[in-house]
Amino acid sequence: MTNKTGRFAILEQFLADGIHYMFGNPGTSEEGFLDAIREYPDLKYILTLQESVAVMAADGYARATKKPALVQIHSTPGLGNAIGALYQAYRGHSPLVVIGGDAGIRYQAMDAQMAGDLVAFAEPVTKWSTMVMEPSSLLRVLRRAIKMAATPPMGPVYVCLPIDILDAPVVEEVRPTSIPSTRVLPDEQLLNTAATILASANKPMIFVGDGVAYSAAQNELTRVAELLGAEVWEADAGELNMSYAHPLYQGMTGHMFGDRSRPITTRGDVNLICGTYLLPEVFPELGNIFAPGAKVIHIDLNAYEIAKNHPVDLAMVSDPKLTLTHIATILEAVMTPEQKEAAKKRTLEIAQAKETAHNHQLAGDRQIQDVVPLHFSRFTAELVNHLPKDAIIFDEALTSSPELTRYLTPTTPEHYFLTRGGSLGVGIPGAIGAKLANPDKTVIGFTGDGAAMYTIQALWSAARHHVDAKFVICNNRSYRLLQINIQAYWQERRIQQHEYPLSFDLSKPEINFVELARSMGVEAVRVEKTQEIVPAIQKALTHKGPFLIDVVVEADVHPELIGVKCGQ
């Protein structure tokens, strides 16, 4: 090691920590260590054509592996390009290690081309942001970054690596990063108190997030829910925290408006929150979200999120898996026969209501199954008959997501990933990352036409690196989510409904996703009619290499008005 410089040592450090992919977009200030990659064949560079694609592909890989993923970006402009994607990773707690270059510490007083306060740029969207200032601390800082990214609450970290630091001789030893265990339990008295409160509930409610999945606590959560006969709702979730097929699983609280979530959160007399915070809407409820007198218990390894916005009666900074295991054991011992019978009755009622609603949705789908333009349910109803049972779904279908999960019902951890964090464009690169993590499984990324255009160049990376992922565009020629949200705006402000703003309409000029995909080396087909669905699915699944299906679905668009109305 003493004969090597930092540009070689950092690559050896990443390999020592089991990191075998670097997702990136090259720049001049990183060319030294990128040139050195040739000497380390076990570290593969995934070339992307824009920094946000690199971050989002790494996000998909990190989510699929539950381990830190490595991202390389350029200096000031590159970091600027990556900010939105980093925000997505930050809100979603993805363990990303982001490294970026700098011309050198010796030039920082010059305010030269591409100068900027890189650490300050990255701070708002990372868990930790730093610059290595001394060669003898290069590997120490990288190990600290990897540890911080991987330790709950997980999240992206940014390390700026100036050229003169990387060109200096290495004096540190390469060794694996020490990542502490967070498998901690609360005091036994707290566990007993929590179980006693939960057992006394007449209407228990459970709200969960991705802390459950990252603790691998899905079975323990399900056991507690079944013992209580409690509805289970997800909040701020993108992982598979509970099987969607389970009778007690009820879906997500509102994403956009607090008044959509409040009828849910006010139902219970005892509320158990685990691995998330309440509530993550864009326009949250500013007042109390729980019923008067309701008890609230919160379990999370992220102390910051506990009681962040709403009061909690019993708070435990602890591992969800171990904590739920002990609570379930105590519940079985302390619940009276009457309480157990009441829980069974609640479970039956919840299951019957869920089945009735599901059957109503299926009946509605049957009524429109032959309608053209297609409804996305028609496509997913066929797709489920052809997919392998262990297929992995990366879901950025957004307004088409309910139709997707209605038929491709997520039931298995690490096989379903939902977009989170609010940034558009993760569907295609996220699926690429998930496929690299699962080369032997079928991986399909779903996205909308508007979201796809944020990162469409990710298709080129899939073709270049022979990533055999499949992609589906839910093409409604619009920002459909904005059309839905403005209806709530009109209603709240008592504005009479009228035509949607044409800035939400993407129908003119028409985007030809098949030609776009083929121009970047990805085979593709367009689906507009029911008889085209099955041949397209079969072609995609048998094709060796990346493949895109552009599914044209029903929409509210007016291409005849675009360019006619002044200002539109």
Side-chain angles (χ1 to χ4, degrees), residues 138-412:
L138 172 62
L139 300 187
R140 178 184 295 113
V141 171
L142 283 180
R143 285 191 290 267
R144 185 184 304 168
I146 292 167
K147 182 195 75 170
M148 292 186 71
T151 305
M154 290 176 289
V157 296
Y158 171 75
V159 182
C160 182
L161 302 172
I163 288 179
D164 42 14
I165 296 292
L166 295 181
D167 284 342
V170 173
V171 296
E172 296 175 279
E173 179 185 356
V174 172
R175 54 180 174 78
T177 299
S178 300
I179 299 176
S181 170
T182 53
R183 294 291 188 184
V184 292
L185 264 175
D187 180 81
E188 186 175 350
Q189 184 176 348
L190 289 176
L191 292 168
N192 287 324
T193 301
T196 300
I197 294 172
L198 290 167
S200 68
N202 293 312
K203 180 59 177 176
M205 298 284 288
I206 300 178
F207 301 95
V208 300
D210 292 340
V212 171
Y214 276 95
S215 178
Q218 292 93 340
N219 291 337
E220 291 74 15
L221 165 68
T222 302
R223 184 181 174 205
V224 169
E226 290 173 345
L227 286 167
L228 296 173
E231 295 181 19
V232 178
W233 291 84
E234 288 186 298
D236 195 35
E239 306 293 315
L240 198 287
N241 297 296
M242 184 178 186
S243 170
Y244 281 34
H246 195 284
L248 294 173
Y249 178 80
Q250 299 296 293
M252 301 268 185
T253 57
H255 164 70
M256 188 64 59
F257 304 104
D259 60 359
R260 306 292 173 86
S261 300
R262 199 170 185 277
I264 300 169
T265 58
T266 53
R267 291 181 193 175
D269 60 342
V270 175
N271 301 283
L272 173 61
I273 308 167
C274 188
T276 190
Y277 74 99
L278 294 188
L279 272 168
E281 306 103 345
V282 177
F283 302 101
E285 171 63 47
L286 295 175
N288 189 15
I289 64 169
F290 299 114
K295 295 291 186 181
V296 181
I297 300 168
H298 198 152
I299 302 164
D300 205 330
L301 281 168
N302 189 354
Y304 171 75
E305 301 293 0
I306 297 177
K308 181 173 75 173
N309 294 321
H310 304 286
V312 170
D313 296 286
L314 181 58
M316 292 175 278
V317 179
S318 60
D319 175 60
K321 186 179 183 72
L322 291 183
T323 307
L324 292 172
T325 296
H326 281 69
I327 286 177
T329 300
I330 299 169
L331 281 172
E332 288 179 330
V334 303
M335 288 180 73
T336 66
E338 293 78 15
Q339 289 171 334
K340 292 179 180 178
E341 187 60 34
K344 290 180 181 179
K345 183 180 179 181
R346 285 193 294 268
T347 298
L348 181 60
E349 292 172 351
I350 294 168
Q352 288 175 340
K354 181 175 181 177
E355 183 178 9
T356 298
H358 182 65
N359 289 335
H360 180 73
Q361 292 167 340
L362 295 179
D365 290 344
R366 287 192 292 270
Q367 291 180 358
I368 56 174
Q369 64 179 357
D370 296 321
V371 171
V372 176
L374 298 171
H375 286 253
F376 196 60
S377 60
R378 184 69 173 85
F379 180 84
T380 53
E382 291 288 357
L383 180 61
V384 72
N385 297 322
H386 296 82
L387 273 187
K389 296 297 183 184
D390 64 348
I392 294 173
I393 302 300
F394 202 103
D395 179 3
E396 195 193 22
L398 300 174
T399 54
S400 295
S401 187
E403 289 96 332
L404 173 64
T405 56
R406 186 146 66 239
Y407 293 91
L408 298 173
T409 307
T411 59
T412 308

Side-chain angles (χ1 to χ4, degrees), residues 422-433:
S423 300
L424 289 179
V426 72
I428 294 175
I432 291 172

Side-chain angles (χ1 to χ4, degrees), residues 51 58 62 101 107 160 181 217 267 373 391 402 449 461 480 483 490 535 541:
E51 287 84 357
Y107 299 123
C160 182
S181 170
R267 291 181 193 175
D449 52 319
S461 297
R480 180 61 180 152
Q483 292 178 339
W490 290 337
L541 295 179

